[in-house]
């Protein structure tokens, strides 16, 4: 499961339609699926959709999310004039930082240095 963020462009005060979640989920079939959609209409920089995508790989999850968003943006009358600024995996820094600190050879237990890392 991958968290993909889709940032929308549109007029100020854009209201996301009530059926947006269902329309997005209906766009994907096969081994990839959009399991959950969380809209953030008031996000800084414009509305953001958090799409939880079950897919065999990150590349496939990003592709499915982008395709679903573009299809809905093109077909939903309430979203006429809106666009997709970007669509990609969300980076959750605290999760990766914790993982990095706990790995042996990465400054965590074991205190060694890994490939390409300076000595600690």
């Amino acid at each position: 499961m991958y968290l993909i963020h889709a940032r929308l462009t549109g007029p100020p005060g854009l209201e996301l339609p009530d059926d947006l979640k269902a329309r997005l989920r209906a766009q994907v079939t096969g081994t990839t699926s959009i399991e959950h959609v969380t809209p953030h209409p008031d996000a800084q920089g414009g509305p953001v959709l958090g799409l939880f995508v079950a897919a065999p790989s990150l590349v496939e999850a990003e592709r499915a999310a982008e395709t679903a968003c573009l299809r809905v943006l093109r077909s939903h009358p309430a979203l006429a004039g809106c666009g997709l600024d970007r669509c990609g995996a969300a980076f959750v820094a605290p999760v990766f930082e914790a993982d990095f600190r706990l790995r042996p050879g990465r400054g965590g237990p074991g205190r060694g240095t890994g490939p390409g890392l300076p000595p600690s």
Side-chain angles (χ1 to χ4, degrees):
M1 179 97 54
Y2 300 93
L3 172 56
I4 308 298
H5 280 170
R7 180 169 303 280
L8 306 180
T9 60
L14 171 68
E15 290 196 30
L16 299 175
D18 293 334
D19 64 345
L20 180 62
K21 296 177 189 182
R23 284 186 181 226
L24 285 166
R25 287 193 304 266
Q27 298 302 314
V28 181
T29 59
T31 60
T32 300
S33 62
I34 296 175
E35 298 292 322
H36 181 74
V37 179
T38 302
H40 302 281
D42 300 319
Q44 185 176 359
V48 172
L49 304 174
L51 296 95
F52 291 86
V53 182
S57 71
L58 174 60
V59 170
E60 291 178 64
E62 288 177 327
R63 185 178 305 126
E66 181 177 18
T67 299
C69 287
L70 289 172
R71 285 180 182 162
V72 170
L73 287 170
R74 288 182 190 130
S75 66
H76 201 299
L79 298 172
C82 294
L84 185 62
D85 180 42
R86 64 178 172 265
C87 188
F91 179 68
V92 185
V95 172
F96 292 103
E97 288 170 358
D99 181 56
F100 183 79
R101 284 192 303 272
L102 294 175
R103 287 186 178 171
R106 301 280 194 258
R111 290 279 187 222
T113 59
L117 295 176
S120 51

